[in-house]
Amino acid sequence: MTYLVTLLTTDSFAKEVKLFGLGDYFIRRYQLIAHVFYGSQQRQVVARYLTGFGLGNLSTIATSITYLFVALQAVAGRLTLGDLTLYTTAAQSVQNSIQGILGGFTGMFEHNLYLNNLYELMEKRSAIPMPAQPVPVPQPLRGEIRFEDVSFTYPGASASALSELSFTATPGETLAIVGRNGAGKTTLFKLICRLYDPTEGRILIDGVDIRDYDPAELRAQIGGMFQDYVTYQATAAENIGLGSLQAITDRKAIVNAGRRAGADELISTLPDGYDTALGKWFDAGVNLSGGEWQKVALARAFMRDARILLLDEPTSALDAQAEYDLFERLKSLTRGRTAVYISHRFSTVRRADRILFLEHGRLVEQGTHQQLMRLDGRYARLFRLQAAAYTGEEVVPEEVIDLDASTA
């Protein structure tokens, strides 16, 4: 029910909800779920209060009988006034005790429902185990990344996302990862960040298996932006500063990161500059376009003085000029850093020092742009297909090359 309310009241979903006329449909779904939910709640509440009413009546009846017995004894002269007061007070005490016991049982039952969830959570094993004796992350990190026969399958999935993947990114190298949708490109980033551990093989950074590092220390040395980056409903400065919590109040560092990502010019046009609230969830918030949000997310990635920079589709929402400007700066921005980025735009991919082409989780081609074009394989085929959209040249479809015949 809360999710449906979010769909109907949040600006991020408003365009599609209005375009497809989903408002009434979601409202009906809300009403259906609410009817079932409140019906269940009503039955539980009625049962609870009927039980409480019955037990309360038993307590009241028992107390009334006690009072009546004491009163009759007093009238018959068997009890003095002091005895009457004593027994009456004792009866009240017993009644309060019984009510307290019943209330305690009710509270124990309710709390036990929450504790069951807590115990289930605590019994779950972490997908990322901590090493018994973590190896200190080198300071400074050189940034060499090496995959050795890495395979990975998501929990519950039948097909592998990556299969026997091996490559090395040398310190300071700019590496582009390309391939069709579902080739395993984003999964590769998740493994480098150690959000998951490989099913087989190992990943080494500066010659050490990343499973031997403390995950938090390792991630502190990685700057990145995922394709589904977060649009925080906070000020522009906070949106960027969240990339490095230690420097979240360092306005100079935030402005520098914004300038490097090309967001500084945009933010300077906002009503309060870096102090402008972004998003429309709160009062006086300013909404940004997709490309503008992407610049802010890029600035967040540049907040860290990280030796490894991971960028997943960093220009997908940028216009042609902004994309060109970013990649013109990328060489200087990543100098001394190992940069790995994913992109479907071959005009930017060709600028990388080396290109890896993934297909069905396997590395099938790698090399520079010129080398891959001479190879005339998958990369060259997709490059010509994309170029034809601009030049108008007709490209005759070809059959997909069998993976076993790969020239990786």
Side-chain angles (χ1 to χ4, degrees):
M1 289 167 62
T2 303
Y3 174 63
L4 289 171
V5 169
T6 302
L7 289 178
L8 289 166
T9 59
T10 305
D11 62 316
S12 304
F13 311 111
K15 297 186 293 296
E16 189 161 316
V17 169
K18 288 181 179 295
L19 174 63
F20 294 115
L22 302 177
D24 290 339
Y25 172 75
F26 287 146
I27 289 173
R28 289 195 299 272
R29 288 288 299 272
Y30 180 95
Q31 291 172 336
L32 176 64
I33 296 170
H35 177 73
V36 175
F37 173 73
Y38 285 121
S40 172
Q41 289 291 99
Q42 184 181 39
R43 288 191 296 272
Q44 293 183 47
V45 169
V46 169
R48 172 181 176 177
Y49 281 103
L50 284 177
T51 303
F53 178 74
L55 294 175
N57 282 341
L58 287 176
S59 175
T60 301
I61 291 171
T63 305
S64 299
I65 291 174
T66 302
Y67 285 155
L68 178 61
F69 175 76
V70 171
L72 292 175
Q73 294 298 313
V75 170
R78 297 189 182 93
L79 297 177
T80 64
L81 183 61
D83 292 333
L84 177 63
T85 304
L86 173 65
Y87 287 123
T88 302
T89 304
Q92 290 177 340
S93 178
V94 170
Q95 182 184 24
N96 293 336
S97 298
I98 293 174
Q99 290 177 344
I101 292 172
L102 295 176
F105 280 121
T106 302
M108 288 172 62
F109 177 76
E110 292 180 351
H111 295 321
N112 188 58
L113 297 177
Y114 294 99
L115 287 173
N116 285 339
N117 293 337
L118 176 61
Y119 291 145
E120 288 177 8
L121 175 64
M122 294 175 66
E123 287 174 0
K124 290 185 180 295
R125 294 183 178 181
S126 172
I128 306 298
M130 278 283 295
Q133 295 182 331
V135 175
V137 177
Q139 300 291 339
L141 197 71
R142 291 190 303 115
E144 181 190 68
I145 304 172
R146 186 159 76 246
F147 275 56
E148 294 184 349
D149 296 319
V150 171
S151 296
F152 176 73
T153 303
Y154 283 101
S158 56
S160 296
L162 295 175
S163 299
E164 299 176 354
L165 183 61
S166 296
F167 69 89
T168 300
T170 58
E173 184 179 24
T174 299
L175 206 63
I177 312 294
V178 298
R180 296 177 176 85
N181 292 333
K185 304 183 296 296
T186 300
T187 299
L188 184 148
F189 276 17
K190 293 177 182 178
L191 293 179
I192 295 175
C193 295
R194 213 184 165 210
L195 303 180
Y196 296 95
D197 279 338
T199 308
E200 297 176 9
R202 60 178 189 162
I203 304 170
L204 296 89
I205 292 182
D206 284 4
V208 178
D209 192 321
I210 62 173
R211 286 171 288 201
D212 294 332
Y213 289 132
D214 181 292
E217 289 187 17
L218 174 64
R219 291 169 192 151
Q221 299 297 319
I222 300 175
M225 185 194 79
F226 288 100
Q227 188 174 9
D228 52 347
Y229 54 84
V230 180
T231 55
Y232 294 101
Q233 304 291 308
T235 66
E238 289 172 324
N239 260 281
I240 296 173
L242 287 170
S244 179
L245 290 177
Q246 298 85 349
I248 195 169
T249 59
D250 187 342
R251 182 55 60 91
K252 183 178 179 181
I254 290 172
V255 172
N256 183 49
R259 187 177 298 113
R260 294 167 69 192
D264 186 59
E265 183 177 352
L266 155 70
I267 294 174
S268 65
T269 64
L270 298 178
D272 298 313
Y274 281 87
D275 294 316
T276 303
L278 303 184
K280 299 297 290 183
W281 284 32
F282 304 106
D283 291 341
V286 175
N287 210 4
L288 303 181
S289 68
E292 291 170 336
W293 270 117
Q294 192 163 37
K295 290 180 180 180
V296 174
L298 267 172
R300 188 159 59 239
F302 287 132
M303 268 298 291
R304 288 186 174 182
D305 184 22
R307 297 303 177 192
I308 297 176
L309 186 63
L310 307 177
L311 302 175
D312 189 351
E313 291 287 358
T315 62
S316 60
L318 300 183
D319 57 59
Q321 182 64 50
E323 177 189 12
Y324 177 82
D325 293 340
L326 174 64
F327 277 93
E328 281 296 301
R329 298 195 306 272
L330 192 60
K331 282 290 184 182
S332 60
L333 293 174
T334 59
R335 186 174 293 115
R337 296 176 172 82
T338 304
V340 186
Y341 65 87
I342 296 170
S343 180
H344 287 101
R345 297 189 182 183
F346 283 49
S347 58
T348 58
V349 167
R350 64 186 301 174
R351 301 169 185 266
D353 297 326
R354 190 155 49 98
I355 302 165
L356 306 184
F357 193 103
L358 300 185
E359 191 163 274
H360 304 304
R362 296 178 181 273
L363 176 59
V364 294
E365 293 176 5
Q366 65 174 309
T368 64
H369 171 75
Q370 291 77 13
Q371 290 171 340
L372 293 177
M373 291 303 292
R374 287 196 298 268
L375 182 63
D376 198 25
R378 294 167 173 79
Y379 175 85
R381 174 66 182 160
L382 289 182
F383 182 86
R384 286 194 293 267
L385 281 172
Q386 196 169 108
Y390 296 95
T391 63
E393 296 179 5
E394 185 176 350
V395 180
V396 180
E398 298 176 358
E399 293 182 359
V400 178
I401 304 172
D402 183 43
L403 282 178
D404 294 334
S406 167
T407 53

